[in-house]
Amino acid sequence: MDATKKPLRISPELGVYAEKHGVFQMLQRMLQCLLVDRPQDPIQYMIDHFKKENDEVPRVFLLGPPVSGKLSIAKLLCDQINTNLLTLDNMLAGGKSESADEIQKLKAKAQDIPNTLWAKLILERLSKTDCIKRGWVLVGFPKTREQAMAIQELGIAPEHVVILDAPDTVLIERNLGKRIDPVTKEIYHTIFNWPTSTKIQNRLEKPPGITEEETVKRLLEYRQVSHGVLNSYSKKYHIINADQPSVDVLSQVLSHVQSRHRSVAPYTPRIILHGPPGSGRSLQAAMIAEKYRIVNVSCGQLLREAVAAETRLGETIKPYVESRQPVPDVMVMKCMAQRLSKLDCSTWGWVMHGFPQDLVQAEMLKDAGFLANRVFFMEVPDDAVIERLSMRMVDPTTGKRSLKARTTRLKDSFYPTVIRLFNGSLLQ
């Protein structure tokens, strides 16, 4: 950036670097943490935030009705992504804090535990180094909107909220077959997860609350309050059907957890259309440039403009153009670099066609710092290409090309397909 000239010109390499390294997302995350934590020394806080390098670690809530398999799937998930499994029970068992002690005292007296106290316990656990470095999967909390609001007030926000659900009849049937190991506290099932060891089988016990009446009561309580949790994370939750093999459930959960939310970062389209002669590159580039208000960069047109302007580069290119010989790659690249470096291309983006035509040119474009974020290969059968080129007509006055008696039909058949592709990928 040259601060001595107005308007300020930002080099195209800066946009490429920012997109490649996620600079905008990094700053967005840092600003969110800054607003939530409100540190006394913001500068030092931001420095410490960068040193943590934990923006990409998983932060997952795994929720669902009773007997939906939350804990089993969470264990498998944590093994896959190498993160921490958190439940209210293991946080109480392993926590040595005022919050944990207070909760244990309230439990001993059979008193209700405030949501704020649960939230404080979770915050203390998430503040430890292992959760900061490796992330976490919190199972079974929050259960109500009040609990969700309590943890949100402390700045606890997941990246993904996964909800396992299944029909009530399936859940009731599952609960009737549940068994628990009194020694290890592992949960087994008479149908889905029966231990192979005879010793473990003999000591399994029926846990309390697995009768049909008690299960129905728990499911009814869950259904009555679950909508509040969904409203609290309306833009983040994803419901997965738990009435299928655990391998399939894990696959879907893992796929969702590893996905990224759509970025709101400023996006500059840099598109290359590649295809054989007669594939419609120039026509599609013109329509895309008009629809999305980006710059249409035609390699052939740039070379002709340079010759017509009688610039130093144009005078060098002129003999090749007049004799219809291929222009050397170095000269073509210099002409393209001059156009792509202009302010309109850096600001609005561009759609390029006619260049690069081979691997050498593609490497030159990459080395010059002009990286495309969308490349489309337009495939057309050879017979169709020959037919199009043989019917091509050129206006000697304007230089525009068209296909005799087929221009309108080709435009109508091509345009919806390509624009549909760009609607799905260009602006995401």
Side-chain angles (χ1 to χ4, degrees), residues 189-259:
H189 197 277
T190 56
I191 298 176
F192 305 109
N193 185 25
W194 193 245
T196 56
S197 172
T198 307
K199 182 179 180 181
I200 296 177
Q201 294 176 7
N202 294 333
R203 71 184 185 212
L204 293 182
E205 299 176 352
K206 285 186 177 182
I210 67 168
T211 63
E212 185 172 346
E213 293 77 11
E214 291 173 314
T215 305
V216 170
K217 182 180 178 181
R218 292 170 59 195
L219 287 173
L220 182 60
E221 292 175 352
Y222 171 81
R223 301 298 181 193
Q224 289 174 342
V225 298
S226 60
H227 66 279
V229 178
L230 297 182
N231 291 335
S232 300
Y233 303 102
S234 58
K235 296 183 179 180
K236 290 189 175 182
Y237 77 84
H238 181 67
I239 299 177
I240 294 176
N241 181 20
D243 185 20
Q244 51 184 329
S246 59
V247 176
D248 296 333
V249 177
L250 174 63
S251 176
Q252 295 179 37
V253 173
L254 185 63
S255 176
H256 177 67
V257 168
Q258 291 179 334
S259 65

Side-chain angles (χ1 to χ4, degrees), residues 137-207:
V137 176
L138 178 60
V139 183
F141 195 92
K143 297 179 180 179
T144 64
R145 180 172 176 80
E146 290 73 20
Q147 291 178 349
M149 295 295 292
I151 59 178
Q152 286 178 6
E153 289 176 358
L154 295 181
I156 302 173
E159 290 295 323
H160 299 88
V161 178
V162 179
I163 299 176
L164 304 182
D165 205 353
D168 289 347
T169 54
V170 174
L171 298 175
I172 293 172
E173 184 181 357
R174 281 189 183 182
N175 203 33
L176 295 176
K178 184 187 291 186
R179 298 294 184 269
I180 189 169
D181 187 342
V183 178
T184 62
K185 303 301 180 182
E186 287 287 331
I187 297 175
Y188 296 92
H189 197 277
T190 56
I191 298 176
F192 305 109
N193 185 25
W194 193 245
T196 56
S197 172
T198 307
K199 182 179 180 181
I200 296 177
Q201 294 176 7
N202 294 333
R203 71 184 185 212
L204 293 182
E205 299 176 352
K206 285 186 177 182

Side-chain angles (χ1 to χ4, degrees), residues 76-359:
L76 297 174
L77 178 64
C78 291
D79 291 339
Q80 288 284 338
I81 61 178
N82 190 29
T83 190
N84 297 286
L85 173 62
L86 305 181
T87 65
L88 298 182
D89 292 336
N90 66 25
M91 283 188 284
L92 282 176
K96 297 180 180 179
S97 63
E98 294 181 0
S99 301
D101 294 339
E102 191 173 350
I103 291 175
Q104 295 286 13
K105 291 178 182 178
L106 292 175
K107 273 194 168 186
K109 298 177 181 179
Q111 296 181 358
D112 293 336
I113 302 173
N115 293 327
T116 53
L117 194 55
W118 283 120
K120 187 177 179 181
L121 175 68
I122 295 172
L123 181 62
E124 291 173 353
R125 180 65 182 90
L126 299 184
S127 301
K128 293 185 177 180
T129 305
D130 58 342
C131 287
I132 293 175
K133 291 292 186 180
R134 295 168 49 208
W136 42 265
V137 176
L138 178 60
V139 183
F141 195 92
K143 297 179 180 179
T144 64
R145 180 172 176 80
E146 290 73 20
Q147 291 178 349
M149 295 295 292
I151 59 178
Q152 286 178 6
E153 289 176 358
L154 295 181
I156 302 173
E159 290 295 323
H160 299 88
V161 178
V162 179
I163 299 176
L164 304 182
D165 205 353
D168 289 347
T169 54
V170 174
L171 298 175
I172 293 172
E173 184 181 357
R174 281 189 183 182
N175 203 33
L176 295 176
K178 184 187 291 186
R179 298 294 184 269
I180 189 169
D181 187 342
V183 178
T184 62
K185 303 301 180 182
E186 287 287 331
I187 297 175
Y188 296 92
H189 197 277
T190 56
I191 298 176
F192 305 109
N193 185 25
W194 193 245
T196 56
S197 172
T198 307
K199 182 179 180 181
I200 296 177
Q201 294 176 7
N202 294 333
R203 71 184 185 212
L204 293 182
E205 299 176 352
K206 285 186 177 182
I210 67 168
T211 63
E212 185 172 346
E213 293 77 11
E214 291 173 314
T215 305
V216 170
K217 182 180 178 181
R218 292 170 59 195
L219 287 173
L220 182 60
E221 292 175 352
Y222 171 81
R223 301 298 181 193
Q224 289 174 342
V225 298
S226 60
H227 66 279
V229 178
L230 297 182
N231 291 335
S232 300
Y233 303 102
S234 58
K235 296 183 179 180
K236 290 189 175 182
Y237 77 84
H238 181 67
I239 299 177
I240 294 176
N241 181 20
D243 185 20
Q244 51 184 329
S246 59
V247 176
D248 296 333
V249 177
L250 174 63
S251 176
Q252 295 179 37
V253 173
L254 185 63
S255 176
H256 177 67
V257 168
Q258 291 179 334
S259 65
R260 293 186 177 183
H261 298 292
R262 180 171 178 175
S263 174
V264 295
Y267 175 77
T268 304
R270 298 185 298 275
I271 310 158
I272 293 178
L273 298 183
H274 188 79
S279 59
R281 293 169 299 175
S282 58
L283 175 62
Q284 299 306 318
M287 291 190 293
I288 292 169
E290 180 180 1
K291 181 176 178 64
Y292 296 105
R293 298 181 181 180
I294 59 180
V295 181
N296 183 3
V297 180
S298 170
C299 179
Q301 184 65 25
L302 288 180
L303 295 177
R304 289 190 291 270
E305 290 177 356
V307 173
E310 297 182 352
T311 61
R312 181 178 299 179
L313 179 60
E315 292 296 330
T316 308
I317 295 174
K318 187 175 180 179
Y320 297 97
V321 175
E322 290 180 346
S323 60
R324 296 188 177 182
Q325 295 293 322
V327 180
D329 291 345
V330 176
M331 298 181 185
V332 177
M333 187 62 239
K334 187 174 182 180
C335 185
M336 298 295 291
Q338 289 178 357
R339 183 65 187 93
L340 296 178
S341 299
K342 290 186 178 179
L343 185 61
D344 56 350
C345 287
S346 301
T347 305
W348 303 107
W350 42 264
V351 52
M352 182 194 304
H353 55 101
F355 188 89
Q357 295 182 347
D358 53 37
L359 182 59

